[in-house]
Amino acid sequence: MEKKEIYIHSGIHKTGSTAIQKDLLKHDYKDVKILIKSSNNTDPNSITDKILYYLKYPEKTLENKIKQMINEISQKKIIISNEGLFGHQGNGFVDVKKRFDLMENLFDDPKYIIFFREPSGVLSSWYNFSIRKDIDVDFMSYCTTDINLLYKIIPKDNRVGTNYKIYNYNEIFKPYLNIITRVLFLEYESFFSKYNDSEYKKLSLFLGVDLKNKV
């Protein structure tokens, strides 16, 4: 069986994942399969949706199904993009290590693409997203939720609040830093700067595809 080259773009949230997914889909890569999340993460035929569900509720039958679906893809190189794969600020990224281990188990030496962003920008973006849903909470309260309470919940769409202290990238990225040769970290601010193409070129080189049009 031919070994697949798996590239996992796993977020984090609020770092331009949707724009990157749209850009990837603009290109016709005959030798590359692009897999992105469905619009609501509930498509039964979506491999990325199945992976996301597996990371929350790992079960052997689902694991085998995902591996079978991956093996049935004709292309050798597969790019999987879903910003929910890494983890969620709504539960303090408490299961980052577990999710990493599960993805390592699913795939054979996958490579990872992780975007990071100045925490203040992430928190501001999350807060603005929350208040658009008519959630009445002030910014300071939103950013200082008890961390121990965060660790005990499973994030839902209506979950309000996080804690700024969870954005310790040295800590939450630790599993990935241990396999640094298989990981590309990209800074959101530099990547999306119209004056700087270096981060964009890093992504193109890492994926081994010609990303002609900067997002």
Side-chain angles (χ1 to χ4, degrees), residues 138-157:
D138 64 89
F139 184 67
M140 183 59 67
S141 297
Y142 181 89
C143 296
T144 55
T145 303
D146 187 321
I147 292 179
N148 291 322
L149 292 179
L150 289 178
Y151 289 162
K152 295 177 181 178
I153 66 167
I154 298 176
K156 296 182 179 179
D157 288 343

Side-chain angles (χ1 to χ4, degrees), residues 7 111-113 182-184 202-208:
Y7 295 81
K111 294 182 179 180
Y112 300 91
I113 301 152
R182 288 196 276 125
V183 183
L184 177 65
K202 285 181 186 177
L203 177 59
S204 183
L205 185 62
F206 185 77
L207 292 173

Side-chain angles (χ1 to χ4, degrees), residues 123-167:
L123 290 167
S124 177
S125 182
W126 268 120
Y127 179 69
N128 290 331
F129 173 77
S130 296
I131 61 177
R132 286 200 303 270
K133 300 170 72 174
D134 297 324
I135 293 172
D136 184 17
V137 60
D138 64 89
F139 184 67
M140 183 59 67
S141 297
Y142 181 89
C143 296
T144 55
T145 303
D146 187 321
I147 292 179
N148 291 322
L149 292 179
L150 289 178
Y151 289 162
K152 295 177 181 178
I153 66 167
I154 298 176
K156 296 182 179 179
D157 288 343
N158 63 350
R159 174 62 193 167
V160 180
T162 187
N163 191 298
Y164 68 94
K165 293 181 180 179
I166 66 171
Y167 286 96

Side-chain angles (χ1 to χ4, degrees), residues 24-78:
L24 286 170
L25 293 176
K26 288 179 183 177
H27 305 274
D28 182 20
Y29 303 119
K30 294 181 180 179
D31 300 324
V32 182
K33 181 68 174 179
I34 309 293
L35 301 172
I36 68 169
K37 67 175 183 178
S38 66
S39 59
N40 58 6
N41 286 324
T42 58
D43 181 354
N45 297 313
S46 166
I47 297 177
T48 57
D49 290 5
K50 289 184 185 300
I51 296 170
L52 187 62
Y53 190 85
Y54 172 75
L55 297 182
K56 294 179 182 178
Y57 312 105
E59 195 273 326
K60 192 64 177 178
T61 301
L62 181 55
E63 174 190 330
N64 292 336
K65 178 62 177 177
I66 294 169
K67 289 181 177 180
Q68 176 188 342
M69 293 175 76
I70 290 292
N71 287 331
E72 288 174 352
I73 293 173
S74 60
Q75 294 90 336
K76 179 181 178 182
K77 182 177 292 186
I78 302 171

